[in-house]
Amino acid sequence: MSTLSLPSYADVEAASERIASFAHRTPVNTSRTLNEIVGAEVFFKCENFQRVGAFKFRGAFNSLARFSAEQRRAGVVAFSSGNHAQGVALSARILGIPATIVMPHDAPATKVTATKGYGANVVFYNRYTEDREEIGSNLAKAHGLTLIPSYDHPDVLAGQGTAAKELFEDVGSLDALFVPLGGGGLLSGTALATRALSPACKLFGVEPEAGDDGQQSFRSGAIVHIDTPKTIADGAQTQHLGNYTFPIIRRDVDDILTAPDSLLIEGMKFFASRMKMIVEPTGCLGLAAILQRKDELKDKRLGVLISGGNIDLERFTALITA
């Protein structure tokens, strides 16, 4: 790990320029009701309104835009439960690059349909019995493709950091920022932007209770591997942090928190009823953490990154009405 050259905020700035004409500058929304509940000002960076419905487009486009002519001709392969899949597929279509995406057989139907709709070839696997990283690596070797992982890549995480860059540019410094955590691409990229633009801001990663590998890793000082967690937050069903993401998180993040699935459902209900937004379970992790700790956050300026809004309507309805 020590031999890796870690990206810096300069890479986030470069990514911001690279994706500016292609990615949406997503809105920052607030809720007077939530502010009254928490006793603080809460600013939501709404990446559910990003292209493909999630922040993943940022890192995917930044990565593919840096391909050589030879890499573009050969094509890209990626593995993802859905949002990175769509981000790579759309970026590849825009840039004229053939794309193959490895997706779990139980990925949300909307994410599979969208990925195929962008023109990608989808290869399915069983997330509980097969290794997606091995499948992706084998496809890359067999067909000369460039593998772009969903989080553990310097260009990916630099691209993801542009969301936080925009948030700080729009609202100024914050007292604390809460970020969903799966493999750490969004959190590590956010960390680079946070330390550059609001250095005193407390930065927290939030993962589902069932998948606390990030918390274990952060507190032990070494990457912890777990079995695929069973949680409704499918975007955070990762088994470990990455060799690029972990050292940045360890260096620049204040703590890793967890939230139960029950609070993610409450978050989905709140966003739908009070803010008129559909947010997928993973995107509710930051709000869940605030609701659990509201007594500690009074009179603070708080930021929350909403990672995405991709969820089947049937699944959404079933969860919020159960």
Side-chain angles (χ1 to χ4, degrees), residues 153-168:
H153 190 287
D155 293 335
V156 170
L157 71 88
Q160 317 306 26
T162 61
K165 175 179 181 290
E166 293 174 6
L167 174 62
F168 288 118

Side-chain angles (χ1 to χ4, degrees), residues 33-317:
T33 299
L34 182 68
N35 288 349
E36 291 173 353
I37 291 171
V38 181
E41 283 187 284
V42 185
F43 300 93
F44 292 100
K45 178 61 171 171
C46 298
E47 287 295 289
N48 48 318
F49 296 127
Q50 186 53 263
R51 296 186 77 166
V52 311
F55 74 95
K56 292 283 191 175
F57 178 77
R58 296 174 180 271
F61 191 88
N62 185 53
S63 301
L64 270 63
R66 301 198 69 195
F67 275 21
S68 67
E70 183 179 353
Q71 287 176 303
R72 292 190 182 207
R73 283 192 298 270
V76 62
V77 61
F79 44 81
S80 164
S81 64
N83 288 338
H84 181 62
Q86 293 173 82
V88 170
L90 177 57
S91 299
R93 189 180 77 174
I94 292 170
L95 296 167
I97 300 171
T100 298
I101 310 295
V102 179
M103 299 185 74
H105 67 86
D106 60 348
T110 53
K111 297 182 179 182
V112 175
T113 300
T115 301
K116 290 181 177 179
Y118 294 133
N121 173 45
V122 174
V123 175
F124 290 104
Y125 77 103
N126 187 316
R127 74 165 90 218
Y128 299 107
T129 61
E130 296 181 283
D131 185 341
R132 66 180 189 172
E133 296 180 26
E134 181 180 359
I135 295 170
S137 295
N138 289 341
L139 286 169
K141 292 174 184 175
H143 303 287
L145 310 177
T146 298
L147 175 63
I148 296 296
S150 55
Y151 58 88
D152 200 28
H153 190 287
D155 293 335
V156 170
L157 71 88
Q160 317 306 26
T162 61
K165 175 179 181 290
E166 293 174 6
L167 174 62
F168 288 118
E169 289 171 348
D170 288 347
V171 306
S173 61
L174 296 169
D175 294 308
L177 178 56
F178 297 82
V179 183
L181 172 60
L186 181 60
L187 181 57
S188 57
T190 296
L192 297 178
T194 301
R195 294 300 158 238
L197 301 177
S198 185
C201 176
K202 296 289 186 182
L203 180 59
F204 300 98
V206 190
E207 58 190 352
E209 277 186 352
D212 67 344
D213 63 291
Q215 186 180 77
Q216 292 185 54
S217 301
F218 185 81
R219 296 179 182 179
S220 70
I223 296 175
V224 172
H225 292 245
I226 63 171
D227 292 334
T228 300
K230 294 187 178 180
T231 170
I232 62 171
D234 67 284
Q237 284 185 299
T238 48
Q239 296 174 289
H240 58 86
L241 299 178
N243 291 328
Y244 285 97
T245 63
F246 176 66
I248 296 173
I249 290 170
R250 181 72 173 163
R251 181 190 70 197
D252 292 338
V253 172
D254 289 279
D255 201 2
I256 305 298
L257 313 173
T258 65
D261 280 3
S262 59
L263 266 185
L264 302 186
I265 294 172
E266 290 305 308
M268 293 167 66
K269 292 178 180 178
F270 180 86
F271 283 128
S273 63
R274 305 303 303 189
M275 299 183 71
K276 314 309 174 190
M277 299 192 300
I278 292 180
V279 178
E280 62 186 276
T282 306
C284 297
L285 283 164
L287 173 59
I290 284 180
L291 293 176
Q292 288 184 112
R293 292 161 179 80
K294 59 185 179 182
D295 292 341
E296 307 166 18
L297 301 172
K298 291 187 183 301
D299 302 319
K300 303 292 187 182
R301 284 171 51 85
L302 310 174
V304 175
L305 284 180
I306 298 177
S307 54
N310 292 322
I311 182 171
D312 296 337
L313 287 179
E314 294 82 1
R315 174 69 169 154
F316 179 83
T317 302

